[in-house]
Amino acid sequence: MSPSLTDLKAFLRVTHDDDDALLTRLMGSALREALAWMDDARLPAVPGPAVEVDLPEDVVQGAFLLVQADYDGDPAKREGYRKAACSLLRPYSKVL
């Protein structure tokens, strides 16, 4: 699965276009963070801006949870989103 802004907005239940630039930046950052954390040679190199990558669906969902942690802006929920993301990413990580 190659993550897209449309997929991310559906995941977050965002129906407006006002935050598209922000969501695009957050998605790029989350993908870079997830891929760097996993450090797994089976996955593509850390992407740059607008680079399409083919990732397992659970890795994409993990990255989307990292976006949600920042986009929601609720400090009380942030750690929960990040823990859920790590749970999805952990099977792909060399560091357990």
Side-chain angles (χ1 to χ4, degrees):
M1 171 180 197
S2 184
S4 70
L5 179 60
T6 301
D7 295 331
L8 176 60
K9 288 172 71 173
F11 177 85
L12 297 172
R13 295 178 178 88
V14 172
T15 58
H16 56 80
D17 298 333
D18 299 344
D19 293 337
D20 282 6
L22 171 63
L23 289 172
T24 298
R25 285 192 308 273
L26 289 175
M27 184 169 60
S29 175
L31 287 169
R32 285 187 293 279
E33 180 181 356
L35 293 172
W37 184 81
M38 291 182 298
D39 191 26
D40 191 323
R42 295 174 296 171
L43 298 173
V46 175
V51 173
E52 288 193 22
V53 292
D54 187 30
L55 299 169
E57 190 169 332
D58 46 347
V59 170
V60 173
Q61 296 299 312
F64 286 178
L65 282 166
L66 292 173
V67 171
Q68 190 170 16
D70 291 332
Y71 184 69
D72 278 0
D74 184 346
K77 294 181 180 178
R78 189 171 197 275
E79 189 60 31
Y81 290 137
R82 294 188 62 82
K83 282 183 181 181
C86 287
S87 292
L88 290 169
L89 301 174
R90 183 164 280 114
Y92 299 94
S93 177
K94 289 181 181 177
V95 181
L96 298 175

